[in-house]
Amino acid sequence: MELRSNEFKARAAANLGDAKLQKGLGLIKVKAVVNRANAVAEFGDFEALREAGKAIRNRALADLDLYLERFEREATARGAVVHWAENASEACRIVVAIARENGVKTVAKSKSMVSEEVGLNDTLIEAGVTPIETDLGEYILQINDAEPPSHIVMPVIHKTAEDVADLFHEKHGTPRKTDPAALTREAREILRPKFLSADMGVSGANFLVAETGSTLIVTNEGNGRLCTTLPRLHVALTGIEKVVPTLEDASTLLRLLPRSATGQAITNYVSVHTGPKHIDESDGPQQFHIVLVDNGRSKLLAGEMREMLRCIRCGACMNHCPVYQAVGGHAYGWVYPGPMGNILTPSYVGLENAVALPNAATMCNQCGVVCPVKIPLPDLMRKLREEQMARGLKPWPERAGLALWGWAAQQPALYALGTRIAARFMKWLGGSEKLIHRLPLAAGWTNGRDFPAPEGRTFRELYKARRK
Amino acid sequence: MSSRDAILGRVRSALGRKVSLPDTAAIESYIAAHPVGLQPPRDWEPELRFRARAEALASTVEKVSSLQAVPGAVARYLVVNKLPTGGVCWPSLRKLDWIGAGLGMEDRPARGDDLVGVTGCYCAIAETGTLMLASGPDTPAAASLLPETHIAVVDTARIVPFMEDAWALLRAERGGLPRAVNFVSGPSRTADIEQTVTMGAHGPYRVHIILVG
């Protein structure tokens, strides 16, 4: 997927004025957020469940090499073929090679963020293989000139039913309809023959189970089941961090993932695949390939961002993020938007290529509070901000300003004098309205709103006066 | 060096492994023990809970007293809902008297245009109102997936409280997993367009559960 994270500011500004996008984002607050809250309350001790989820993911990461080897051994024993990809291009090469060796013409894909991450569709098309996205949201994006998704769970959150109505009318040549149920049926009828004729199915994996060598996917639409049942080949593409030790551990995480993502106690379908079809079975793929993608994950394991590898991709952090809710997913410029993207994008593509992202947060910790595996997202963003300063990736006025502030804050007398002057100056600026319309050196802040003027005395002055 | 060795090498160095062949005893004993994690409180009777949960997920549920009564129940459901009276069934259900109930159920692999699929289930999970389907020669996965109507026959003796109990049952009865385990919780759905929940995305529009017991 094309990287545009350094355009964050411009795209965020544009998105704030996009009425259709704002309508879709507004729905998150009244649907996804409310549904999650209800599901969490209904469960009971969700806090204990989050602790349990965190412990399982930490256990897997603490012995990641051993669990991966166990996974590989079990999967291979059951007849699956396990491939290892160091990076995006190798992952694509592996899938294209499987397609070529087997004379694959069309690929039915169920939603996989790793496939977006490695840019699989473009590579398949270059190799003469036609990928068909079958998740309704991803299908809508694909026929709209391969538009990128704007949410990891609800990829077309930025589109209205009217948009989809226009798109289907134009691309399918059918009478225009706006009812979501009728649009869904139309997509079903167009995609059904494509499922039946596809040579290969590509899925992701929400979890890899080391105990049994199985891949596990959660879906609601059933497209994931079709992609992994009907075509003669199944390729599951996923990150190396997705491994969990046992089926019981997967069950615990399944109590967290759908509740956090959509407020469901369980997704409509949870599918666990172990090896290819047996000779006496009437359905299932003849070949089952599992591509384990690193693409920066092992590097994360070694550093301060390690906790990010616990992520189970529920999207709760973005649903609850005031910045995401305002600017939408496309502003983030890569596969993973919202707080998780603020950490994953710079980690995977380089901090210099996503300078704005660790700063695209208010540090309100809504993300940290809802994260099902308790990733301290604001702490990780703060560490990335520190690294940006250390590496000189921020503009010089910001660095100079912070350096000056840092120096002054270590001189108590000077600091007290400076704040006394500033408080009085700002009171004067505020005038009788007690509102500052334009703040020197911080015009960006006052362009969109007024700054409430201070009362003229500093905290230390007031404290001293009160003690007397 | 292969990509596999390079990736595992980086993982090992990130984890600070000092020896080239780390001891797997700890992870193997954890896997062998596969401890059950946090479950919600079990303050319900499994059959009642299963039924309430399945209905909350938009499945319909009825109960008959014996397996022989299933074809009649299927026929009534299809007629009342003005649905076709023919389709596919799992080979494991081929011995039921479908013809006697006026139905044309064929025990062949499901096709894309089949409208009704009748299956059994390996077991059912009370916590979430979920069917657990285990693939096999007599229990193919597509029969519960391609048709617009999925009718599932559930032996009430095989309703277990939690998903972990279903794993335990599979380990005890089969020694491991079949090719595909599909957990089904109601008709297929999507909320991709304006977060409006719509039934019948790519799988069945309706799931009807016939409890036997």
Side-chain angles (χ1 to χ4, degrees):
Chain A
M1 186 168 155
E2 192 194 0
L3 176 66
R4 299 179 62 185
S5 296
N6 272 346
E7 299 166 40
F8 180 84
K9 267 194 177 175
R11 297 181 83 193
N15 287 356
L16 286 169
D18 181 336
K20 286 177 182 172
L21 170 68
Q22 293 300 326
K23 182 187 173 192
L25 293 172
L27 288 174
I28 291 182
K29 281 177 256 187
V30 295
K31 295 201 174 174
V33 168
V34 173
N35 292 345
R36 176 196 172 273
N38 291 339
V40 164
E42 190 267 340
F43 180 80
D45 196 353
F46 199 70
E47 191 53 27
L49 193 60
R50 290 173 71 223
E51 278 297 339
K54 174 184 173 182
I56 289 168
R57 295 297 298 129
N58 278 346
R59 177 184 289 277
L61 294 173
D63 284 310
L64 185 60
D65 52 342
L66 307 184
Y67 284 118
L68 284 169
E69 285 176 309
R70 161 86 190 217
F71 172 83
E72 180 187 41
R73 197 164 65 242
E74 297 294 330
T76 308
R78 285 294 297 264
V81 185
V82 178
H83 308 259
W84 302 72
E86 288 231 53
N87 49 40
S89 60
E90 187 173 14
C92 291
R93 271 204 308 279
I94 290 168
V95 181
V96 166
I98 297 167
R100 286 217 168 111
E101 279 163 28
N102 292 282
V104 167
K105 299 272 192 304
T106 59
V107 171
K109 283 184 68 203
S110 78
K111 191 148 72 72
S112 151
M113 296 326 286
V114 174
S115 94
E116 299 274 355
E117 183 185 320
V118 303
L120 180 63
N121 283 8
D122 288 344
T123 319
L124 285 172
I125 291 165
E126 280 165 30
V129 179
T130 308
I132 301 147
E133 294 288 351
T134 63
D135 172 83
L136 177 60
E138 293 282 345
Y139 171 72
I140 290 166
L141 295 172
Q142 189 182 31
I143 63 170
N144 193 33
D145 302 325
E147 188 186 356
S150 72
H151 190 287
I152 62 165
V153 176
M154 303 173 282
V156 286
I157 186 85
H158 58 287
K159 288 208 179 307
T160 61
E162 296 287 334
D163 291 335
V164 181
D166 289 339
L167 186 68
F168 278 18
H169 174 59
E170 183 201 329
K171 302 283 178 177
H172 296 162
T174 48
R176 190 175 183 281
K177 46 185 87 68
T178 53
D179 173 31
L183 290 165
T184 303
R185 181 172 265 280
E186 182 166 317
R188 175 192 175 105
E189 283 169 2
I190 286 192
L191 285 169
R192 180 55 71 93
K194 300 190 174 177
F195 279 118
L196 295 168
S197 63
D199 306 299
M200 182 161 116
V202 170
S203 75
N206 295 87
F207 303 115
L208 303 165
V209 184
E211 176 189 357
T212 53
S214 315
T215 62
L216 183 154
I217 54 171
V218 300
T219 71
N220 280 313
E221 297 185 4
N223 64 316
R225 286 188 64 195
L226 288 164
C227 289
T228 56
T229 304
L230 301 179
R232 62 192 160 89
L233 288 103
H234 171 202
V235 178
L237 185 69
T238 198
I240 55 169
E241 84 283 16
K242 292 288 175 65
V243 72
V244 297
T246 66
L247 293 166
E248 278 74 5
D249 290 335
S251 297
T252 304
L253 292 169
L254 284 170
R255 292 191 177 97
L256 282 164
L257 174 57
R259 280 186 175 87
S260 301
T262 55
Q264 293 171 282
I266 190 167
T267 48
N268 250 85
Y269 302 113
V270 175
S271 301
V272 182
H273 293 113
T274 315
K277 87 188 264 272
H278 296 258
I279 194 140
D280 50 0
E281 275 188 290
S282 62
D283 52 26
Q286 294 155 21
Q287 291 179 35
F288 182 22
H289 296 267
I290 301 162
V291 185
L292 302 176
V293 181
D294 183 336
N295 206 31
R297 287 158 174 80
S298 57
K299 202 179 79 191
L300 244 62
L301 190 67
E304 288 189 313
M305 299 298 123
R306 176 162 167 180
E307 291 189 275
M308 196 59 220
L309 291 175
R310 285 206 296 270
C311 178
I312 57 173
R313 306 291 193 263
C314 68
C317 60
M318 61 197 75
N319 290 343
H320 292 76
C321 174
V323 176
Y324 179 91
Q325 285 175 358
V327 305
H330 285 157
Y332 294 79
W334 203 51
V335 191
Y336 305 109
M340 50 115 65
N342 291 345
I343 293 153
L344 285 179
T345 307
S347 299
Y348 289 167
V349 305
L351 199 50
E352 65 284 3
N353 295 316
V355 176
L357 295 193
N359 305 288
T362 63
M363 296 298 187
C364 69
N365 196 32
Q366 270 296 299
C367 51
V369 169
V370 297
C371 176
V373 287
K374 303 189 94 165
I375 300 169
L377 292 145
D379 289 347
L380 300 185
M381 284 184 248
R382 195 175 293 113
K383 283 178 186 163
L384 288 174
R385 291 179 184 187
E386 287 166 13
E387 194 187 331
Q388 287 184 326
M389 286 309 264
R391 284 178 52 191
L393 291 172
K394 304 290 285 180
W396 75 263
E398 196 176 328
R399 278 184 285 149
L402 276 170
L404 182 65
W405 184 86
W407 176 78
Q410 289 174 64
Q411 327 288 325
L414 181 67
Y415 191 81
L417 178 69
T419 50
R420 275 211 300 278
I421 294 170
R424 283 164 179 79
F425 174 64
M426 285 168 77
K427 183 188 181 192
W428 173 78
L429 265 185
S432 60
E433 284 181 300
K434 297 186 176 179
L435 287 173
I436 300 169
H437 302 308
R438 190 165 179 80
L439 203 56
L441 303 176
W445 205 92
T446 44
N447 275 346
R449 53 215 182 294
D450 291 332
F451 189 92
E455 293 291 340
R457 291 210 289 165
T458 64
F459 174 78
R460 289 209 280 187
E461 285 178 289
L462 292 169
Y463 186 75
K464 210 170 175 180
R466 187 163 296 186
R467 277 183 70 181
K468 275 178 186 162
Chain B
M1 184 165 40
S2 71
S3 296
R4 176 189 187 278
D5 293 345
I7 293 167
L8 285 173
R10 276 198 303 276
V11 169
R12 288 197 228 281
S13 110
L15 296 174
R17 301 256 191 243
K18 297 278 188 285
V19 288
S20 58
L21 286 174
D23 187 9
T24 59
I27 73 141
E28 290 301 334
S29 73
Y30 178 78
I31 288 173
H34 48 79
V36 171
L38 187 73
Q39 298 173 327
R42 199 193 139 178
D43 49 6
W44 28 258
E45 190 281 315
E47 185 181 328
L48 291 178
R49 167 83 173 197
F50 171 79
R51 191 169 181 145
R53 281 301 165 127
E55 285 171 345
L57 293 170
S59 295
T60 50
V61 185
E62 69 173 300
K63 190 171 178 180
V64 298
S65 55
S66 72
L67 202 54
Q68 285 66 45
V70 165
V74 170
R76 275 193 305 281
Y77 171 80
L78 293 175
V79 170
V80 166
N81 290 285
K82 301 187 172 62
L83 295 165
T85 51
V88 288
C89 70
W90 270 3
S92 63
L93 299 172
R94 71 162 69 91
K95 291 207 175 98
L96 293 181
D97 185 13
W98 301 111
I99 294 165
L103 300 173
M105 289 297 158
E106 299 173 38
D107 62 340
R108 56 166 171 77
R111 293 190 299 249
D113 55 356
D114 282 321
L115 294 171
V116 176
V118 183
T119 75
C121 73
Y122 178 71
C123 68
I125 294 156
E127 178 193 355
T128 46
T130 298
L131 305 168
M132 185 204 222
L133 309 176
S135 74
D138 286 337
T139 57
S144 62
L145 180 60
L146 288 171
E148 294 190 359
T149 302
H150 172 205
I151 299 174
V153 181
V154 178
D155 179 352
T156 54
R158 292 190 72 87
I159 299 175
V160 298
F162 298 110
M163 187 182 279
E164 289 88 340
D165 301 303
W167 300 131
L169 209 54
L170 264 180
R171 288 192 191 101
E173 292 180 349
R174 306 223 180 151
L177 299 186
R179 177 189 69 75
V181 170
N182 284 297
F183 295 97
V184 176
S185 307
S188 88
R189 67 191 70 196
T190 179
D192 273 349
I193 301 175
E194 292 191 4
Q195 298 182 58
T196 303
V197 176
T198 302
M199 297 295 166
H202 290 296
Y205 282 83
R206 54 195 83 76
V207 173
H208 184 60
I209 296 167
I210 302 177
L211 298 173
V212 180

